[in-house]
Amino acid sequence: MLVLTRKVEESITIGNHVTVSVLEVKGNQVKLGISAPRDIAVNRTEIFESIINENIKASEAPMDLGMLSETLKTGSGE
Amino acid sequence: MDKIKTTRFGEIDIDKSKALHFNDGLLGFPDKKNFVILEHNPGSPFLWLQSMDAPELAFVMINPFLMKEDYLQDISPEEEALLKGEDDDEIMVFSLVTIPRGEVQKATVNLMGPVVIKTGSRSARQVILANSGYSHCHPMAFR
């Protein structure tokens, strides 16, 4: 892992198009500003990981969905 | 028609022109880029997203609007742009379903990370709607 030290209002650039700026430091919280092209997904790592974990669980689906189809309630649901 | 091998469905015929290409793969499966959509059963709300690269890899998908009628109606313009991408190609949105083994009544739908398919180019992505308030494990409603 590359480690850089930056001050408030300083930034780093990743690749040609992604810039991460340090906006504010308060206690143990750091406020970052990220500017990136629209097709680059920027997410808190824990959100990203929760989707990865959910995908892994989803990939273990059983083949028989019979009961699921029969009991599924679709639409607005009264 | 082309044949692919699958663990769940055996060897099946697919129409390669209908294959989907995930440039970045699905999250957690970055090197599995080619998928095809299979119907579960006629009349079933479920579809399978079957990998063409790995016979054992398949996901159950559902139309998220069946789970939540007003899905995507209140997302921010930024997240809407994320969904639609740069061009005007028409999109289809699906949600992956997680079905705990032996506990189908605890099945959940991933509304936070929908699969978005461009119907023209057949390219697909999984988008994270982190600020939408949607859950990655939204409980399915059962009768």
Side-chain angles (χ1 to χ4, degrees), chain A residues 61-75, chain B residues 9 38-48 60-63 66-67 97-99 103-109 140-143:
Chain A
M63 205 181 138
D64 180 15
L65 308 179
M67 182 193 151
L68 202 61
S69 298
E70 281 160 29
T71 56
L72 186 71
K73 189 168 149 186
T74 57
Chain B
F9 316 108
L38 309 174
E39 276 190 34
H40 179 60
N41 277 326
S44 167
F46 298 105
L47 298 164
W48 287 90
V60 178
M61 300 198 300
I62 194 164
N63 172 352
L66 289 176
M67 301 286 101
V97 180
T98 301
I99 305 164
E103 293 186 300
V104 293
Q105 68 283 2
K106 290 192 180 158
T108 58
V109 188
M140 272 192 163
F142 295 99
R143 280 194 282 266

Side-chain angles (χ1 to χ4, degrees), chain B residues 43-70:
Chain B
S44 167
F46 298 105
L47 298 164
W48 287 90
L49 183 64
Q50 169 68 50
S51 168
M52 295 165 68
D53 308 316
E56 72 287 353
L57 186 63
F59 299 87
V60 178
M61 300 198 300
I62 194 164
N63 172 352
F65 300 97
L66 289 176
M67 301 286 101
K68 204 168 165 31
E69 273 185 344
D70 62 353

Side-chain angles (χ1 to χ4, degrees), chain B residues 101-140:
Chain B
R101 215 161 266 277
E103 293 186 300
V104 293
Q105 68 283 2
K106 290 192 180 158
T108 58
V109 188
N110 187 345
L111 296 181
M112 191 201 275
V115 169
V116 181
I117 297 167
K118 300 220 165 196
T119 54
S121 62
R122 311 294 296 167
S123 68
R125 289 169 305 138
Q126 188 171 25
V127 173
I128 303 183
L129 304 174
N131 302 312
S132 61
Y134 295 128
S135 169
H136 63 278
C137 49
H138 179 86
M140 272 192 163

Side-chain angles (χ1 to χ4, degrees), chain A residues 11-73:
Chain A
S11 61
I12 60 166
T13 299
I14 302 169
N16 292 337
H17 306 290
V18 179
T19 302
V20 182
S21 314
V22 181
L23 302 179
E24 188 184 299
V25 180
K26 224 194 244 172
N28 66 355
Q29 278 202 322
V30 181
K31 194 182 272 181
L32 301 173
I34 298 123
S35 80
R38 279 216 300 212
D39 59 335
I40 303 245
V42 178
N43 284 293
R44 291 177 172 86
T45 305
E46 61 272 26
I47 299 247
F48 193 74
E49 284 172 349
S50 71
I51 301 280
I52 289 178
N53 289 336
E54 200 59 30
N55 280 355
I56 291 169
K57 281 197 264 170
S59 72
E60 290 157 9
M63 205 181 138
D64 180 15
L65 308 179
M67 182 193 151
L68 202 61
S69 298
E70 281 160 29
T71 56
L72 186 71
K73 189 168 149 186

